[in-house]
Amino acid sequence: MSLVCSISNEVPEHPVVSPRSGAIFEKRLIEKYIVENECDPINGEPLKAEELIEIKTPPIVRPKPPSATSIPATLKMMQDEWDALMLHAFTQRQQLQTARQELSHALYQHDAACRVIARLNKEVAAAREALATLKPQTGIASIQSSIPQPSIAAEAGGMATQPIEQAGMSAEVIQKLQDKATVLTQERKKKGRTVPEELVSAEKIRGFLTLASHPGLHSASVPGILALDINHSDQSKILTGGNDKNATVFNKDTEQIVAILKGHTKKVTKVIFHPEDDTVITASPDACIRIWNVPTSQTQLLLRCHDGPVSGLSLHPTGDYVLSTSSDKHWAFSDIRTGRLLTKVPDPTDIGLTTAQFHPDGLIFGTGTEDSQVKIWDLKEQSNVANFPGHTGPITAISFSENGYYLATAADDACIKLWDLRKLKNFKTITLDEGYEVKDLCFDQSGTYLAIAGTDIRVYLCKQWQELKVFNDHTALATGVRFGRHAQYVASTSMDRTLKLYGIE
């Protein structure tokens, strides 16, 4: 739409409209007319300059006056434009060549920097390992002779050839187990079904984020962390066992390695942090169980209860005895104070055992087998009292809830089965994604939450068995998961060589 001034009959540069007649004018012309006549030029009604209404229109682009009025002038203009175009193209080519050179130089510098960073990271990891190894030994060279040697006279880390003799379950030991079970049962009854006030709520667990990731705990040459535990008395200390044949004690608060425990001749697959003493228990396919003193990083006792790889490890609630299982088709019960093997019992079906876990009261325990069976044993009677069939594939993990009523089990069948120990039956099956691998299970100390480690890390709310959170941060199979006190945080380990911590920022 074009606007035309009612006075000049030309397109106005600054059009305004008169509220009296509705006519359009060039602003400078109508203002001059109003100064002289004080009225609207169309209908003669009184009009003031302040009453004029400006019209907003796009700026007028007036055509350039013709410059090429002859053929020579046109040719000259075209030649000038061609020359300008060639000069611009030449400048652009120069700038492109300069940018290419700068980019090539920057890429070279980036590649060199990445190589330097990778080398420095490797050196830092090696230095940390060396420092962690040297720290516990500093100042104790003069008392090496007083450090207790392994209870078995053999080279450290040597393969077990002959298991030690059984000392037997004495009446004193059985009474000690019974007394502890009585105390624990009474304590559990006092607690009733109350949940600790400090326990993190399900809603907060849904909001858990990855707080830290620590990749330098184990050697990078043989990657993979295979086992995990948390110190119940000092929640800042975390224990891991790795493919590099070492166990590592790590302080999550200071982010420092406290001790590296070297002695196993094969990978460390099971680890336990003693809840009261500064002691660590580890097991390995080298058929040995080692009891470590953390401050000195030395083996206190070396237990050779099996003549095959140790596949399961569980500490009795008394803190004095350890249960172990092996592919040699036996479970063993040993005294970690004296190093004595108290009893060793074969599986009646002559099948290798894959995992072990004590019931919270300590009078019964569960084992998993290579043929998909979960078995419940009476420790005092040393007999198999119940069997839970239903899985397919070797049992990979079992865990008793703190209330003592539930048992969670997993195998190579992509599901978690939950068993009621009072009714001796499966009351819930959590079906996972097809091909999902489960490597570890863990209830928190209140029995409110269940965590699963495998293809990823998952946390479930017990009783409703509702999935609360899934962590997909690991880049390889997760091998261990544990809750901090009152579920304040969750720790996990993986074959990607990292320890990850989850919680609220």
Side-chain angles (χ1 to χ4, degrees):
M1 180 184 71
S2 61
L3 305 177
V4 179
C5 175
S6 299
I7 297 176
S8 65
N9 287 326
E10 293 182 350
V11 177
E13 291 184 1
H14 301 286
V16 294
V17 62
S18 168
R20 304 300 181 192
S21 63
I24 295 173
F25 303 97
E26 172 66 59
K27 185 176 181 181
R28 57 185 173 78
L29 294 179
I30 188 64
E31 285 180 345
K32 288 181 181 179
Y33 186 89
I34 292 173
V35 168
E36 294 175 0
N37 302 290
E38 295 183 351
C39 67
D40 189 305
I42 301 301
N43 55 17
E45 292 184 14
L47 180 65
K48 295 182 180 179
E50 292 80 10
E51 296 177 353
L52 296 173
I53 301 171
E54 291 191 8
I55 301 174
K56 293 183 179 179
T57 59
I60 299 171
V61 179
R62 299 186 182 277
K64 293 182 179 179
S67 58
T69 55
S70 64
I71 292 176
T74 302
L75 292 175
K76 178 66 169 62
M77 183 182 67
M78 293 176 66
Q79 183 67 50
D80 291 342
E81 289 184 359
W82 173 260
D83 293 343
L85 179 62
M86 291 299 100
L87 288 172
H88 179 70
F90 176 73
T91 305
Q92 291 292 92
R93 284 198 301 271
Q94 282 188 320
Q95 291 177 350
L96 176 61
Q97 183 64 24
T98 303
R100 281 178 174 170
Q101 290 177 347
E102 291 176 352
L103 178 59
S104 176
H105 185 64
L107 289 174
Y108 176 78
Q109 287 183 322
H110 177 267
D111 184 59
C114 288
R115 291 173 182 271
V116 172
I117 290 170
R119 179 171 56 80
L120 291 177
N121 283 337
K122 189 174 181 180
E123 290 177 359
V124 167
R128 282 179 175 171
E129 283 189 18
L131 182 62
T133 305
L134 291 173
K135 271 185 179 179
Q137 297 174 357
T138 306
I140 63 169
S142 61
I143 59 168
Q144 285 296 319
S145 59
S146 64
I147 294 175
Q149 297 301 312
S151 62
I152 294 177
E155 282 189 33
M159 277 298 295
T161 54
Q162 292 294 328
I164 56 180
E165 295 297 324
Q166 299 180 40
M169 296 276 284
S170 65
E172 180 183 354
V173 172
I174 291 175
Q175 187 59 48
K176 187 175 181 180
L177 301 179
Q178 184 62 59
D179 292 344
K180 185 63 175 179
T182 302
V183 171
L184 292 173
T185 302
Q186 290 174 349
E187 288 180 355
R188 194 164 65 239
K189 286 181 179 178
K190 286 180 182 178
K191 291 180 185 176
R193 298 186 178 181
T194 58
V195 175
E197 293 182 3
E198 302 90 344
L199 184 71
V200 172
S201 67
E203 200 59 40
K204 288 185 177 179
I205 286 184
R206 285 192 179 95
F208 270 19
L209 303 172
T210 304
L211 302 180
S213 179
H214 303 286
L217 305 187
H218 290 269
S219 172
S221 59
V222 189
I225 301 177
L226 305 175
L228 168 70
D229 200 19
I230 296 175
N231 190 331
H232 290 288
S233 58
D234 183 356
Q235 294 283 300
S236 65
K237 290 182 179 177
I238 298 175
L239 173 65
T240 60
N243 246 337
D244 60 357
K245 308 174 187 177
N246 300 333
T248 300
V249 180
F250 178 73
N251 189 311
K252 73 175 183 67
D253 293 342
T254 62
E255 297 190 346
Q256 296 293 320
I257 293 176
V258 177
I260 296 179
L261 310 177
K262 299 184 177 182
H264 284 291
T265 58
K266 293 186 179 180
K267 59 189 178 182
V268 179
T269 54
K270 301 294 178 182
V271 296
I272 296 176
F273 224 132
H274 198 284
E276 298 166 4
D277 305 336
D278 211 353
T279 300
V280 160
I281 307 168
T282 61
S284 166
D286 64 9
C288 294
I289 299 170
R290 289 178 178 264
I291 317 297
W292 304 83
N293 179 276
V294 174
T296 63
S297 298
Q298 298 293 321
T299 301
Q300 288 181 318
L301 294 171
L302 181 61
L303 308 181
R304 291 185 175 172
C305 312
H306 299 280
D307 50 12
V310 181
S311 57
L313 200 64
S314 184
L315 185 66
H316 191 271
T318 58
D320 297 330
Y321 308 102
V322 69
L323 168 71
S324 58
T325 55
S326 169
S327 58
D328 67 2
K329 307 167 186 177
H330 289 73
W331 62 264
F333 186 66
S334 308
D335 189 326
I336 65 170
R337 306 298 182 186
T338 63
R340 291 186 305 163
L341 171 62
L342 299 182
T343 186
K344 183 177 179 181
V345 178
D347 185 275
T349 57
D350 200 35
I351 298 294
L353 303 179
T354 58
T355 185
Q357 181 72 44
F358 269 116
H359 184 273
D361 291 345
L363 291 183
I364 62 173
F365 63 89
T367 62
T369 69
E370 294 174 353
D371 67 343
S372 316
Q373 294 285 321
V374 177
K375 299 188 175 185
I376 306 298
W377 300 77
D378 185 309
L379 180 58
K380 293 191 297 181
E381 299 297 329
Q382 303 172 42
S383 61
N384 178 206
V385 295
N387 293 323
F388 295 146
H391 280 292
T392 56
I395 303 299
T396 56
I398 63 175
S399 181
F400 288 96
S401 69
E402 185 59 32
N403 62 18
Y405 298 150
Y406 304 134
L407 171 65
T409 61
D412 292 338
D413 53 6
C415 72
I416 307 296
K417 288 188 178 292
L418 296 145
W419 309 85
D420 190 322
L421 298 174
R422 296 164 294 183
K423 300 177 182 178
L424 299 179
K425 69 175 186 178
N426 171 225
F427 69 90
K428 176 71 176 179
T429 298
I430 301 174
T431 303
L432 304 170
D433 304 331
E434 184 177 354
Y436 192 102
E437 294 185 59
V438 181
K439 293 298 181 183
D440 197 18
L441 296 171
C442 177
F443 285 96
D444 76 301
Q445 291 86 347
S446 68
T448 306
Y449 305 113
L450 172 66
I452 299 170
T455 303
D456 51 32
I457 303 294
R458 301 188 180 192
V459 179
Y460 286 84
L461 178 64
C462 297
K463 295 185 179 178
Q464 291 87 356
W465 308 110
Q466 174 189 0
E467 183 183 285
L468 295 179
K469 187 69 177 179
V470 177
F471 302 101
N472 292 302
D473 295 47
H474 285 297
T475 57
L477 193 66
T479 54
V481 63
R482 291 291 183 272
F483 286 97
R485 183 182 290 117
H486 303 310
Q488 296 289 337
Y489 72 94
V490 175
S492 68
T493 52
S494 167
M495 292 303 293
D496 65 7
R497 205 168 61 91
T498 62
L499 163 69
K500 292 188 184 292
L501 303 174
Y502 314 95
I504 301 172
E505 286 186 323

